[in-house]
Amino acid sequence: MKQAIVLRRDLQMGKGKAAAQAAHAACEAVLSIIRSNNSEWSRWLDSWLSQGQKKVVLRVESEGELNRVYEEARAAGLPASMIEDAGLTQLPPGTKTAVAVGPAPAELVDKITGKLKLY
Amino acid sequence: MKQAIVLRRDLQMGKGKAAAQAAHAACEAVLSIIRSNNSEWSRWLDSWLSQGQKKVVLRVESEGELNRVYEEARAAGLPASMIEDAGLTQLPPGTKTAVAVGPAPAELVDKITGKLKLY
């Protein structure tokens, strides 16, 4: 099991900003599972938690690429979150910054994010 | 409501590594609330979620400072998580990397982390 967190590098976010967006995306994907009552997703979550919550942080270079990751994850039936920044600092309101895919079986996550580079 | 995420800057983690540790800490603190059956914490969580999950990422320069933040948060009755790295990459196994405090009322979080600088 793993969770992939995908950040836009083209936004040139500061380190703290990037970390906050990653945390938003990761938590939101986990919460979406808890809210979903999807029993398969719940099993994935429990399994991922018991294995130490493996996370990998990856990068894309555009909003289009970020959208592509999110849409492919949803189409594949995986839990996923899309984060838009409130725009109080650094970025215009509504800027899409981050996506999390999973927790889900690693091979399913890799089908969508496997070609992305580390952030 | 807010959640403070505290990262050790003395470890000189790469950007992706730091983002992953921040995400671990944030998720773990949220999950600790869900597992706790503490009704006050649950109210804080709901309120924080409805307000857009405000997060701030802060820094300390040593394991001792990180321990201090975690212990003060717990002593104050706040939800908090301490993250130790599995040590598969970059860091020795068991290295303490990050703490999250909250979600909780901002004034209670600030009592503990208010003097820390942005990461």
Side-chain angles (χ1 to χ4, degrees):
Chain A
M1 297 290 154
K2 78 162 129 173
Q3 183 181 53
I5 301 169
V6 182
L7 296 174
R8 279 179 65 187
R9 203 172 61 161
D10 60 302
L11 295 176
Q12 301 183 302
M13 293 180 276
K15 282 189 302 186
K17 181 85 181 178
Q21 301 301 311
H24 283 315
C27 291
E28 192 54 38
V30 167
L31 289 164
S32 76
I33 293 177
I34 292 169
R35 292 185 198 114
S36 73
N37 292 315
N38 178 316
S39 61
E40 182 170 48
W41 288 5
S42 296
R43 281 195 304 274
W44 293 348
L45 175 61
D46 289 344
S47 177
W48 175 72
L49 291 172
S50 72
Q51 291 166 13
Q53 299 188 41
K54 183 174 179 187
K55 293 184 181 76
V56 58
V57 183
L58 305 169
R59 69 184 197 238
V60 291
E61 299 290 350
S62 69
E63 181 175 309
E65 281 186 86
L66 195 70
N67 286 334
R68 196 267 310 160
V69 170
Y70 178 71
E71 286 157 15
E72 287 188 14
R74 300 291 299 180
L78 303 186
S81 63
M82 166 70 84
I83 301 303
E84 295 187 14
D85 193 66
L88 302 176
T89 57
Q90 293 188 31
L91 299 172
T95 305
K96 292 176 178 178
T97 56
V99 160
V101 179
E107 62 274 19
L108 299 183
V109 175
D110 287 344
K111 275 188 192 168
I112 293 158
T113 62
K115 289 183 180 165
L116 300 179
K117 293 181 180 160
L118 292 174
Y119 184 74
Chain B
M1 297 289 156
K2 78 161 127 173
Q3 183 182 52
I5 301 169
V6 183
L7 297 174
R8 279 178 65 187
R9 204 171 60 162
D10 60 303
L11 295 175
Q12 301 183 301
M13 294 182 275
K15 282 189 301 185
K17 182 86 182 177
Q21 301 301 312
H24 283 316
C27 291
E28 192 55 38
V30 167
L31 288 164
S32 77
I33 293 177
I34 292 170
R35 293 185 197 115
S36 73
N37 292 314
N38 179 315
S39 60
E40 181 170 47
W41 288 4
S42 296
R43 281 195 304 274
W44 292 349
L45 175 60
D46 289 343
S47 177
W48 175 72
L49 290 172
S50 71
Q51 291 166 13
Q53 300 187 41
K54 183 175 180 186
K55 293 184 181 75
V56 58
V57 183
L58 305 169
R59 68 182 195 239
V60 292
E61 300 289 351
S62 69
E63 181 175 309
E65 281 186 87
L66 194 70
N67 286 334
R68 196 270 307 162
V69 171
Y70 179 71
E71 285 158 14
E72 287 188 13
R74 300 291 298 178
L78 303 187
S81 62
M82 166 70 84
I83 301 304
E84 295 187 14
D85 194 64
L88 303 175
T89 56
Q90 293 188 30
L91 300 172
T95 304
K96 293 176 178 178
T97 56
V99 160
V101 179
E107 63 274 18
L108 299 182
V109 176
D110 287 344
K111 275 188 193 169
I112 293 159
T113 63
K115 289 183 181 165
L116 300 179
K117 291 180 180 162
L118 290 174
Y119 183 74

